[in-house]
Amino acid sequence: MPIAFVRNVSESINQCELTHMEHEAIDLTNARAQHAKYVEALRHLGCEIHEFPRLDHQPDAVFVEDTAVVVPELAVLTNPGAESRRGEIESVGETLAAYRPVVRLGDSGTLEGGDVLRIDKKVHVGCATRTDEQGILELRSHLEPLGYDVIMIRHGEALHLKTACTYLGEGVLLLNREWVDIEDFDDLEPLECHPEEPFACNAIRIGDSVLFPEEFVRTRERIESRGFKVHPVPASELAKAEGGLTCSSIIID
Ligand code: CIR
């Protein structure tokens, strides 16, 4: 059974980092209600849920994905490009140590988990605002000896690589072509988001379903037409903090 690590929304969420968006008030009650539905959906789709302790003084702590890259053999704690987020790492490491040997990236480079898209032994890593070349080199030094191919991908205006694309399974990459180039992904079939829904490329495949934001109905139609079963969840409140669905969990097998 997969385990999904999650963390509840911090009281200080309105002080979150923003890169491409203007500040818009986040309703904490609604953010927590939507987060609870997300956790319930993960449970419904077969995940065992493990909660990291809440960190109210860390505004972005709900976005646990950015703090660690976990493969079956190892957990690599990151050095987030956003300095304000570095205080999130310790509690994640303490918990993950019960499941994997844990290593930590040094502070000469930066890397956030939202930039890491792993498809089996291929680890695609976005290089842009939050992750730099040195961070990628360090991740590679941990993963290549384990047989992983670490591939650097330059992406445009998206905050993270997984804002621009995620893997739906069966060889299909959901992507926004404005932000990422399908040629960077060997042999994958592109499925483009609807042009009016540029943020609709962040989905999570679990079991035989695709967890997907309920707001993006046009892209949902495209995913369903391609033959995938979609499990919609509300995600509009944390989207104001530039968070998508993958950001709010670390899922391990
Ligand atoms: C940040 O800018 O760090 C947060 N406000 C949003 C992080 C979203 N994480 C992700 O896409 N993996």
Side-chain angles (χ1 to χ4, degrees), residues 115-116 124-128 131-132 136 151-155 161:
D115 273 317
V116 179
H124 307 85
V125 190
C127 184
T131 295
D132 64 15
I136 297 172
I151 305 151
M152 183 168 79
I153 309 265
R154 296 211 180 261
H155 59 91
L161 179 63

Side-chain angles (χ1 to χ4, degrees), residues 13 16-19 59-60 63-66 82 84-85 88 112-115 130 159-160 162-163 202 238 240-244 246-248:
I13 182 70
C16 67
E17 292 282 341
L18 288 173
T19 306
D60 282 305
F63 302 122
V64 294
E65 168 181 69
D66 294 318
S84 69
R85 302 201 52 192
E88 300 170 26
E112 295 189 2
D115 273 317
R130 299 291 181 84
L159 176 61
H160 288 116
K162 279 186 283 189
T163 321
N202 187 266
L238 288 177
K240 297 177 193 168
E242 293 187 71
T246 62
C247 319
S248 295

Side-chain angles (χ1 to χ4, degrees), residues 8 26 31 33 58 60 82 108-109 126 133 137 153 156 163 182 185-186 192 206 210 215 221 228 238 245-246 249 253:
N8 204 340
I26 297 169
Q58 292 281 159
D60 282 305
S108 58
E133 287 188 35
L137 285 177
I153 309 265
T163 321
I182 189 66
F185 296 85
D186 287 349
E192 282 187 68
I206 307 176
V210 174
E215 294 79 17
E221 273 175 28
F228 293 97
L238 288 177
L245 292 186
T246 62
S249 57
D253 286 318

Side-chain angles (χ1 to χ4, degrees), residues 47-87:
C47 295
E48 182 184 321
I49 305 297
H50 189 118
E51 294 217 17
F52 294 129
R54 211 167 85 196
L55 290 180
D56 279 328
H57 57 289
Q58 292 281 159
D60 282 305
V62 61
F63 302 122
V64 294
E65 168 181 69
D66 294 318
T67 61
V69 177
V70 184
V71 295
E73 304 85 352
L74 192 67
V76 182
L77 302 180
T78 66
N79 185 41
E83 275 189 51
S84 69
R85 302 201 52 192
R86 294 184 187 161

Side-chain angles (χ1 to χ4, degrees), residues 4-9 31-51 62 206 211 231 233-234 245 248-249:
F5 295 90
V6 297
R7 173 150 40 211
N8 204 340
V9 184
R32 285 195 175 144
Q34 291 190 351
H35 186 260
K37 287 185 180 168
Y38 170 80
V39 173
E40 197 39 52
L42 289 172
R43 189 178 281 119
H44 175 81
L45 294 176
C47 295
E48 182 184 321
I49 305 297
H50 189 118
E51 294 217 17
V62 61
I206 307 176
L211 196 62
H231 187 107
V233 282
L245 292 186
S248 295
S249 57

